[in-house]
Structures are given as C-alpha cells and as structure tokens.
Amino acid sequence: SFALGVLLLAHPLMRVLYGPQWDEAVPLARWLALALLFQVPISNCQIALTSTGAAQRVLRATAWQSGCLMLAAVTTAHWGVQVLTQALVLSAACGLVGWLLQVRAHLGLSLRALGAALLPSAGVALCSTSGPLLVLWALGEQPAQPLLALALGGALAAFGFVTGCVVLRHPFVEEIRKMTKKLRP
C-alpha cells in the first residue's frame, strides 16, 4: 500500500518534501517505489525461513538477491540513473523469486497456496490506491497545490486501506481490534 501510494503521489510528495528543484527525480521515485513493491514480501520470507531454522536457505536467498542487484547495477549504471532505477525493479522481482523459491522448498508451499495467502494483501493494497487515483484524476498528476493533493491522497489511501481490510476480512483487522482495545480506558 505504501509503495503504491508513493508511486501514485510521487510528484506532490517530492514537491512538498524537496521543492520544485527535485521535479526531475519524480520518475526515479516512481521506479524505486515499484521496486519496493517487490521488496516488501521479502521480509516475510526472511522471517519464515529464520524462524524455522533455515539459515542456509536465508544465505542462498540473500546471495541470489545480492547477485541480482549487482548484475543490474553493473550492467546498467553506465546508461544513467533512469535506466539503473528501471533495472532495480527487475532486480527486486528477481530477488523476490529467489526468496519465494527458498520458502517454497523449505516449507513445502505450492506457488498457488502462496499466491492465495498473498491475495488478500494485494486486494487491500489495491483498495488503498483508489483514493490517490481519485486525487490524481481530480487535481492532475502535477497538482498546483501539492500539499492538498498529498493530504487528500494520504487520507483517502488510509481510508481505502482500512476499508479494504474490513471488506476483504484481512487478518490485519484483528490486529486493529487488539490495538483499539488496549487504547480504551
């Protein structure tokens, strides 16, 4: 959800944080956000393998991921930062595949079962993008008031996230319930 939000709201985000002198970095931020989309599941893979004592698999997956990153950097850096950031997306996807294969081999999960487990989170992420997309449609990709676009986009993304969690019955809803019970006097 965060990566998709940054991808969609990159222009107002860069304008608010760094000013108009950083406008040329907006496409790079979008590519990096797309790469982050592939990086996020890796932390869950790491936890699954580490908690089940599969240190060798963690090492193999880390080596694979690092190799993908090095290959992307070495083969594309001479073409400039734009091509390099695009290659980082492919590197991140390649790295994720390595992690997923290690998790699959160690835990005996089929790719279908893994996909089914990730589907609710993908649905929630898509729900969270509806607000930023609406803001882009209403205010444009380069809004005259970037702070307004960012505030509206962020608030609507949060609303879409929570709504998606509730409607899709994501396990995160139970975590929200536990947290709100603790906050009540």
Side-chain angles (χ1 to χ4, degrees), residues 51-70:
S51 65
T52 56
Q56 275 191 326
R57 292 198 182 273
V58 170
L59 182 61
R60 283 186 208 135
T62 302
W64 172 259
Q65 181 184 7
S66 299
C68 292
L69 178 61
M70 299 254 316

Side-chain angles (χ1 to χ4, degrees), residues 10-11 14-15 18-32 81-82 85 142:
H11 185 270
M14 294 296 270
R15 267 294 168 100
Y18 304 113
Q21 65 271 21
W22 281 80
D23 281 354
E24 290 183 34
V26 169
L28 304 177
R30 286 192 172 123
W31 284 111
L32 292 174
V81 71
Q82 180 79 22
T85 54
Q142 297 179 4

